[in-house]
Amino acid sequence: MRESIEAALAAGRYGEARSAVEAMWRAQPTAASANYVMECAGRWREALPGRPWRVYFLRSFTVEPLVPLLRAGGALAGLDLTVGVGPLGATMQEVLAGESELYRFRPDTVIVAVQTRDIAPRLWEDGAPGAGLAAVVAEVVEHYTMLVERFRSFSQADLILHSLEEPVHPSWGVLDGQSPEGQAAAVQEINQGLRRLAGRWPGVYVLGYDRLVASQGRVHWHDERKWLLVRLPMRADCQPVLANEWLRYLVPLAGRGVKVVVTDLDNTLWGGVLGEDGPDGIQVGLEHPGAHYRALQQTLVDFSRRGLLLAVCSKNDEAEAVGAIDSHPGMLLRSGAFAAKRINWKDKATNLREIAGELNVGLEALALVDDSPVECERVRRELPEVTVIELPAEPVGYAAAVRRHPVFERLAVSEEDRVRGELYRAQKERATAQRQFGTVEEFYESLAQEVVMTPVEPAHEQRVAQLTQKTNQFNLTGRRYSEAEIHELARRRGTTVFQVAVRDRYGDNGIVGVIVFRHAAGVGVIETMLMSCRVIGRTVETAMMALLLRYGRHLGLQWIDGWFVPTAKNGPAREFYATHEFALVETGEAGARWRLEVANSSLVCPRWMRATLGGEGDYGKSIAC
């Protein structure tokens, strides 16, 4: 396999090389393999760049052997990880000291990997019911509360807290399970306290360490010899499991998750080949073997509830395939669940390009689920940006293989996520309507668009952060923000974070735009301006700028400066400033700085939409268009 990898790298076939490296890594996720993955990633970095992300560990056990596994898995998931590790057992000391290595490292994400036996030794070693465990629970929850509060006073990085784990052998044996005051109950109460704490602070998350240990088997997970010798509590074969669990948080935090799950049909969503077995011969239902395909469908249903779009890409007769999807009694998914369908005899790379175009997303937003190694390999070679989920040989493992992949994870679900399918159905109606008009202006008039720009509301900080992580095409600087950073910026004097919502005759598009605007001493600076691809090409960006200009006049600003920082994907935003009355002031390595003179600008909202600037003050009035 290494020979084929080396040959592909030497020939510049980086998608093929990464495919082979992924296969090797799935088969053997070891330290030696991790080193080779990182060597290969260094060679394909320019062609397939990963997003830089800095991770710091506060820990009560040895994590160093897991760091290479984490970095290798991250490289294959599109992350270029830099990892720092704090002193063993010094979590609170690192957090309390404002000049500690933790803060000097300037992390994007901090993982607090602390065990029950270390933070609550009395609970772990002497967990007799009624032996003061309630006081221990309160002390531990208070400890974490102080940790989070102090950390937030110094850093807006995302914070991931390991939940505590139950002991393998409770002190009172089976009696512990009968007592509401036993060790298990105490650990569960602490973990519930951690979840409540995370709910109070933006950018704080709880990793279910206890659930992860239980999923592998508590007895199997623990290696007492390693623990006593090197403070490493888990067996070697469990280390990649924990590294992958960390990635399931880091990938969505870094905005590397996909937006669309594209699935095959034959031997993927159902057993058998429709063209050969007929609608009555395909296998999907509650019994073996059809239950395994139904389990994969349930996985996709769950993904759609998280806000991922579903699509079909299959070599089949379209009428026959849609008929089977809509009529077979064992199917959980019907044709209406799919935002796009390509059921034809074209090659899948071509179909995937068309699906991305129809849904107005980049190829990197797609993940393909397919049982055919040949089809998967071809897509990897031709479209290395697409995430390919090659299914295992036996369908019993299909659902688990898809569920554990980090690119499908979400750490928050906004209202837009919940109704994403409806949003794209409305988008199709707009596209159909556009073809009926002679000019684009007539189409704009027909939309009856309403744009409302307001300072970000606490309930929508999560959505605004999500947009900064995911929006690539119309994004003037490419800057990314965590939810905690948006929360802090929204409260910073001299900075306004705007959310932009759009409605039209076809429905509510939700929050589709963000502006981070800094202002002082007569000058305003657009630090970030971005807009969802859902509304690109509808002049919403002009309305946003007209509203920002009105705000600048309200503040008495003389100039508004804006930066354009080119990225690999923000070409659609390149001419924004030039076409909105800005003059180029300077260019350099940091990008190009543009300037608008507020008093002399004639920029107004397009006549075909109603735009409103909300918030406090007399600028919160409708702009007549």
Side-chain angles (χ1 to χ4, degrees), residues 17 33 41 66 82 121 132 139 187 269 307 330 332 344 407 476 488 524 610:
S33 297
L66 285 76
T82 301
E139 289 171 7
V187 170
L269 279 197
L332 286 177
N344 52 42
V407 297
L476 296 179
E488 192 274 333
R610 181 174 183 269

Side-chain angles (χ1 to χ4, degrees), residues 476-479 481 489 492 495 515-518 525-529 561-563 577:
L476 296 179
T477 62
R479 293 187 63 176
Y481 298 87
L489 284 170
R492 182 185 296 177
T495 299
I515 299 176
V516 178
F517 189 59
R518 180 165 45 87
V525 179
I526 301 171
E527 290 198 347
T528 291
M529 181 173 176
D561 285 3
W563 283 90
Y577 287 125

Side-chain angles (χ1 to χ4, degrees), residues 154 190 208 288 336 383 463 471 490 500 568 613:
F154 290 112
I190 290 171
H288 174 82
L383 305 176
R463 167 61 178 167
T471 304
V500 181
L613 183 63

